[in-house]
Amino acid sequence: MPTTRTTVGTLRRAGLVTALAAVGVLTAAGAASAHVTVHPDSYAKGATDGVLTFRVPNEEDSASTTKVQVFLPTDHPVLGALVTPRDGWSAKMTTSKLKTPVKTDDGTITEAVSEITWTGGKIGPGQYQDFDVAFGQLPDDVGRLTFKTLQTYSDGKVVRWIEEPQGGEEPENPAPVLKLTAEGGGETTATSGNAKAASASSTASSSGDSTARGLGIAGLVVGVLGLAAAVFAVVRTRSARS
């Protein structure tokens, strides 16, 4: 009987270690995907007639996301911004006067969309929502665009995704950032721009799947090692008592 109790105790300890390790793996996977992001993550400078998708995941366990505010830069404006209707959500677009008007083939632009607010819908725990914004033209005089975002939850909590990377390290609440590549280094027409978005989305999905598979394999390895440790401990205990 003492041998049985020792064996059970050993197995329980090994099982606890395995469970805690697995929880750590799953927690890391959740944290890595909790940020608000923009897709694709890059476009050519001056690209025209494309689509930006803002992906908003819910990182709370007991509250839903009920409001999303995306702020578009006005020092390097996104011209001709339009929103795609989203079931259950209402979009409000705010325009602002530009300090420096932008000259285009169609004339001089003096104002542009500076904020888009989505309300009325709900993103539940464990869910995400994509919000699409079509644009007429991206700026050609800057290397990246930062879209500061506020995410409001049903319990009143507001997460401010407004921080920019410093020294190559990702901040705690990073803002969505769109890289702008050299002209000719990316698509600039409606058709190719949308193809780029679809390709980038597919790549992001593939990358996410690979990460998930890697984390899953890591969890299995941890489990196998934990069970192996338990079996070794049992054999050693029995050998010692023999």
Side-chain angles (χ1 to χ4, degrees), residues 49-82:
D49 301 323
V51 176
L52 298 175
T53 298
F54 294 91
R55 177 160 296 176
V56 183
N58 190 317
E59 60 176 7
E60 294 294 314
D61 296 328
S62 58
S64 298
T65 296
T66 56
K67 182 179 181 181
V68 176
Q69 296 166 269
V70 175
F71 296 87
L72 283 64
T74 54
D75 53 347
H76 300 283
V78 175
L79 303 181
L82 297 171

Side-chain angles (χ1 to χ4, degrees), residues 129-220:
Q129 180 70 65
D130 283 345
F131 297 95
D132 296 333
V133 177
F135 63 82
Q137 183 175 340
L138 296 178
D140 58 6
D141 58 350
V142 68
R144 69 178 185 179
L145 297 177
T146 299
F147 299 95
K148 296 183 178 181
T149 302
L150 301 184
Q151 181 177 9
T152 302
Y153 287 90
S154 55
D155 59 3
K157 179 180 178 180
V158 178
V159 180
R160 301 169 60 83
W161 304 101
I162 62 174
E163 300 174 0
E164 297 188 44
Q166 298 293 336
E169 295 185 1
E170 183 178 71
E172 182 178 356
N173 295 315
V177 174
L178 177 71
K179 302 182 187 69
L180 297 180
T181 61
E183 293 185 46
E187 292 77 358
T188 58
T189 64
T191 301
S192 57
N194 291 335
K196 178 182 178 70
S199 176
S201 178
S202 175
T203 301
S205 176
S206 176
S207 176
D209 289 344
S210 297
T211 300
R213 285 195 296 271
L215 291 171
I217 293 173
L220 289 175

Side-chain angles (χ1 to χ4, degrees), residues 84-168:
T84 299
R86 185 65 61 190
D87 290 344
W89 293 87
S90 296
K92 177 183 177 181
M93 304 180 71
T94 301
T95 59
S96 297
K97 290 285 186 180
L98 300 178
K99 291 183 178 180
T100 304
V102 179
K103 294 183 179 180
T104 70
D105 294 338
D106 298 322
T108 300
I109 306 298
T110 59
E111 61 180 29
V113 175
S114 58
E115 178 185 346
I116 304 176
T117 301
W118 286 273
T119 56
K122 181 175 68 173
I123 308 173
Q127 300 178 345
Y128 74 89
Q129 180 70 65
D130 283 345
F131 297 95
D132 296 333
V133 177
F135 63 82
Q137 183 175 340
L138 296 178
D140 58 6
D141 58 350
V142 68
R144 69 178 185 179
L145 297 177
T146 299
F147 299 95
K148 296 183 178 181
T149 302
L150 301 184
Q151 181 177 9
T152 302
Y153 287 90
S154 55
D155 59 3
K157 179 180 178 180
V158 178
V159 180
R160 301 169 60 83
W161 304 101
I162 62 174
E163 300 174 0
E164 297 188 44
Q166 298 293 336

